[in-house]
């Protein structure tokens, strides 16, 4: 059986990408809490310089 979901996270626009978790940069996507697009948009609107960041889609697939 396979279950797939679209989740989102906030990352920097500059490379190498940093995943943003609680306002802090992180290199490892496994340490990042994936959210809905709406939650990411709401969080991004609270940033001082939101133009330096972007929201990306992450496809999560569970297979068992």
């Amino acid at each position: 059986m396979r279950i797939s979901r679209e989740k989102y996270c906030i990352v920097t626009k500059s490379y190498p990408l940093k995943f943003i978790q609680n306002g802090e940069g992180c290199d490892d996507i496994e340490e990042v809490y994936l959210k809905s697009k709406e939650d990411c948009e709401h969080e991004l609107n609270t940033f001082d310089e939101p133009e330096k960041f972007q929201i990306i889609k992450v496809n999560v697939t569970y297979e068992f």
Side-chain angles (χ1 to χ4, degrees), residues 1-47:
M1 178 177 228
R2 176 184 249 171
I3 300 171
S4 295
R5 297 284 183 260
E6 290 180 352
K7 292 292 190 173
Y8 297 84
C9 63
I10 300 172
V11 299
T12 58
K13 284 187 177 177
S14 60
Y15 289 92
L17 288 180
K18 294 280 186 181
F19 301 95
I20 307 302
Q21 177 73 26
N22 298 323
E24 298 290 325
C26 167
D27 292 329
D28 190 355
I29 193 169
E30 291 187 24
E31 295 179 16
V32 176
Y33 176 70
L34 301 175
K35 309 170 196 168
S36 70
K37 187 173 185 178
E38 294 79 19
D39 287 343
C40 286
E41 288 169 346
H42 176 72
E43 183 178 347
L44 188 57
N45 287 331
T46 66
F47 286 19

Side-chain angles (χ1 to χ4, degrees), residues 44-56:
L44 188 57
N45 287 331
T46 66
F47 286 19
D48 290 337
E49 298 177 288
E51 66 278 357
K52 292 185 176 183
F53 303 91
Q54 61 186 333
I55 297 170
I56 61 168

